[in-house]
Amino acid sequence: MIRKKLLIFGFWLVAAGGVLLSSCTKNDENTIVVIGTEYYIDDILAAVPDSLESKFFAAFGDVSRGDIPPKIEGSYVVDPKQRVSSNLEGWPANTVEPNIYLRFTKQHNGIVTMDLNETTETVTDTVFVCGNGNNFTVYFVEDKDYEIGWMKRGVLMKGKVTADGIADFRYATIVMETEDYSGGQFGLYPAGSYFIYKDGDGLAQNLDW
């Protein structure tokens, strides 16, 4: 009878251990950590300067900050790319700009590889993703180096994964720092300038590009 109880207890421990490990991920070769607490995950506010936080999110809207994002892997097109708002004068809302093409691959918990095509340029980068259920937020800080200048900007994207694409898609860029190499020819934006866009028909559709 005692042996039977020990066997039942042993099976229970194995089952409990399996549930625990299924909610964790390997952080390096020797450590198991809870998903979302990996040392290499930056906070989402790394892409938004402190001085701009309240004003920016008032325009961009709430973001999903959960530890278990949905699977966002796939290729999408933002068509039409419509400007929602900017805090710079002379950049009116409801302006349509060239499409954005997105591809997310190699997703591993809060890390994903992103290909982003705007006009003729395609940028590949490793970015962060967080969220809950089907809602997600992608965020990263990008260095853009031109021949005549340099710009550091925070980038945020958000939306809801559906069978047809990303619903309620939003895309924002926030200027963090700039440097002019050209003696005034590079059009500089002040630090804190932001631009917010959405998909004009409410859905960034699946598109294999």
Side-chain angles (χ1 to χ4, degrees):
M1 186 70 177
I2 293 175
R3 182 178 179 183
K4 184 177 180 181
K5 288 182 178 179
L6 287 174
L7 284 172
I8 292 172
F9 181 67
F11 282 126
W12 180 87
L13 282 177
V14 171
V19 170
L20 178 62
L21 287 176
S22 69
S23 65
C24 298
T25 185
K26 202 164 177 59
N27 197 31
D28 54 41
E29 293 184 356
N30 303 305
T31 308
I32 298 293
V33 297
V34 177
I35 290 173
T37 61
E38 295 94 336
Y39 71 90
Y40 48 77
I41 300 291
D42 286 343
D43 186 86
I44 194 168
L45 295 180
V48 184
D50 293 343
S51 60
L52 193 63
E53 182 180 344
S54 60
K55 186 176 182 180
F56 172 79
F57 284 113
F60 188 69
D62 294 333
V63 295
S64 183
R65 299 171 183 260
D67 293 336
I68 307 178
K71 181 179 178 180
I72 65 171
E73 290 179 327
S75 298
Y76 312 93
V77 59
V78 180
D79 178 16
K81 174 190 173 186
Q82 183 177 338
R83 189 184 309 128
V84 175
S85 66
S86 174
N87 60 348
L88 285 181
E89 293 185 6
W91 293 82
N94 302 318
T95 300
V96 174
E97 297 189 6
N99 295 347
I100 299 174
Y101 297 87
L102 284 168
R103 184 185 298 112
F104 296 113
T105 57
K106 302 177 183 177
Q107 183 174 353
H108 175 69
N109 300 328
I111 300 292
V112 63
T113 298
M114 180 201 70
D115 299 311
L116 169 65
N117 177 275
E118 294 181 280
T119 59
T120 60
E121 180 186 24
T122 300
V123 174
T124 300
D125 207 342
T126 300
V127 301
F128 303 113
V129 58
C130 58
N132 269 326
N134 291 325
N135 297 302
F136 71 90
T137 307
V138 166
Y139 57 101
F140 58 103
V141 175
E142 177 186 43
D143 286 339
K144 293 183 70 68
D145 204 354
Y146 309 91
E147 289 185 3
I148 58 175
W150 169 83
M151 178 183 294
K152 178 180 178 181
R153 64 178 189 171
V155 180
L156 277 81
M157 303 176 187
K158 69 173 182 174
K160 182 177 182 178
V161 175
T162 72
D164 299 316
I166 302 173
D168 304 322
F169 180 80
R170 294 289 187 278
Y171 167 61
T173 62
I174 307 111
V175 177
M176 304 176 78
E177 298 177 43
T178 57
E179 186 175 351
D180 183 8
Y181 308 153
S182 65
Q185 296 179 37
F186 183 54
L188 294 177
Y189 302 112
S193 304
Y194 64 75
F195 303 88
I196 300 174
Y197 305 91
K198 68 178 182 179
D199 190 293
D201 61 12
L203 180 71
Q205 294 180 318
N206 296 327
L207 179 70
D208 189 10
W209 57 276

